[in-house]
């Protein structure tokens, strides 16, 4: 099976702009989670989508949002970008149900200038 | 609030030696403890995982030791190789949270020839 894919891989934006990142999970997986990775804060959970519904949310401001489509693909949106949003954004795919293993994509590197 | 504490932050081991990374947690609801390996420019990859009803799990050169009463778990890499040089993250999650991963801050491992 193909792994988790994320697009784009790199992105440069300026403060105040918004950005949309995309994630395609492993075929058959119904759960998609998003994580932010920064040198200072490490890996932090943003939110999880399962069958098009947000099931769990981390401690991030409302500027961070997401959605999941019927084919399980997911998008994450960040509005009114701040310098501190510069990070590697990782998507993780999980089969769902009682399957706990999460498989990560390569990430999208976002730089906010 | 860091729910999983990881040490050391960095580690240098000679080829053939044993690498040991330790993690501690507070939330007794956690019921799944994975370790991830991350190379530069890549997403984290699952290495090995354990549930709290098991005190030890071994896969090849990698062993997790789990101490439920102390709320600690550790990763041992036997016969460490230069190719093991990477950043290692411990994590903890529980089913009621959709297995949202709470990560440690990571350990940068360097295995010297």
């Amino acid at each position: 099976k193909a792994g988790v894919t994320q697009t784009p891989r790199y992105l440069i934006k300026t403060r105040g702009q918004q950005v949309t990142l995309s994630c395609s999970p492993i075929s058959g997986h119904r759960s998609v989670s998003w994580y932010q990775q920064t040198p200072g804060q490490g890996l932090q959970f943003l939110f999880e989508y399962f069958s098009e519904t947000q099931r769990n949310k981390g401690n991030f401001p409302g500027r961070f949002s997401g959605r999941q489509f019927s084919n399980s693909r997911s998008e994450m949106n960040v509005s009114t970008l701040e310098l501190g949003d510069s990070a590697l954004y990782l998507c993780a795919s999980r089969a769902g149900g009682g399957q706990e293993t999460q498989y990560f994509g390569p990430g999208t590197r976002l730089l906010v200038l | 609030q860091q729910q999983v504490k990881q040490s050391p932050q960095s580690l240098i081991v000679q080829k053939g030696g044993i690498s040991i990374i330790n993690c501690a947690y507070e939330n007794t609801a956690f019921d799944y403890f994975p370790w991830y390996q991350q190379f530069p420019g890549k997403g984290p990859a699952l290495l090995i995982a354990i549930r709290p009803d098991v005190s030890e799990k071994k896969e090849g050169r990698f062993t997790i030791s789990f101490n439920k009463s102390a709320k600690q778990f550790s990763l041992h890499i036997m016969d460490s190789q230069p190719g093991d040089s990477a950043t290692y993250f411990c994590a903890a999650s529980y089913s009621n949270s959709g297995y949202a991963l709470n990560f440690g801050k990571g350990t940068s491992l360097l295995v010297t020839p």
Side-chain angles (χ1 to χ4, degrees):
Chain A
K1 283 185 181 178
V4 179
T5 58
Q6 293 187 244
T7 57
R9 292 294 311 277
Y10 304 93
L11 210 46
I12 299 175
K13 292 285 187 180
T14 56
R15 276 184 303 172
Q17 287 187 310
Q18 75 161 13
V19 67
T20 299
L21 312 181
S22 181
C23 170
S24 291
I26 293 170
S27 178
H29 283 195
R30 297 166 63 191
S31 166
V32 172
S33 295
W34 289 88
Y35 294 82
Q36 181 195 64
Q37 185 173 24
T38 60
Q41 298 300 316
L43 281 150
Q44 293 185 287
F45 171 74
L46 278 155
F47 32 66
E48 182 208 9
Y49 284 86
F50 184 89
S51 295
E52 302 178 64
T53 302
Q54 187 182 89
R55 293 212 314 185
N56 200 5
K57 192 177 191 308
N59 190 25
F60 278 83
R63 300 185 297 108
F64 292 82
S65 63
R67 60 177 175 169
Q68 187 180 33
F69 302 96
S70 58
N71 62 358
S72 294
R73 191 178 69 85
S74 178
E75 289 182 346
M76 189 191 100
N77 185 76
V78 188
S79 62
T80 320
L81 284 166
E82 300 177 359
L83 295 179
D85 296 333
S86 295
L88 180 67
Y89 289 90
L90 293 156
C91 165
S93 162
R94 185 171 66 89
Q99 297 299 312
E100 64 273 288
T101 303
Q102 294 191 38
Y103 300 90
F104 283 84
T108 294
R109 175 76 61 186
L110 172 65
L111 177 61
V112 182
L113 301 175
Chain B
Q1 181 186 356
Q2 193 77 21
Q3 294 206 51
V4 179
K5 291 184 167 61
Q6 182 172 349
S7 63
Q9 190 174 355
S10 62
L11 185 59
I12 301 175
V13 173
Q14 280 197 325
K15 180 182 174 181
I18 303 173
S19 304
I20 302 174
I21 304 170
N22 300 300
C23 286
Y25 65 97
E26 285 299 324
N27 189 344
T28 54
F30 289 143
D31 59 10
Y32 177 67
F33 301 86
W35 285 87
Y36 283 84
Q37 177 190 57
Q38 186 177 29
F39 292 103
K42 305 283 187 184
L46 180 68
L47 203 56
I48 186 172
I50 198 168
R51 287 194 166 275
D53 53 348
V54 176
S55 61
E56 186 175 283
K57 183 175 181 180
K58 183 177 180 180
E59 287 184 5
R61 296 184 294 109
F62 301 92
T63 300
I64 300 179
S65 296
F66 189 86
N67 186 329
K68 188 174 180 178
S69 60
K71 291 185 284 186
Q72 295 175 347
F73 58 111
S74 61
L75 175 70
H76 291 62
I77 306 174
M78 312 300 287
D79 187 26
S80 298
Q81 298 297 312
D84 296 331
S85 298
T87 301
Y88 292 80
F89 294 93
C90 63
S93 67
Y94 57 99
S95 57
N96 284 349
S97 73
Y99 293 107
L101 292 165
N102 296 272
F103 283 93
K105 289 280 198 175
T107 295
S108 179
L109 171 66
L110 176 64
V111 181
T112 59

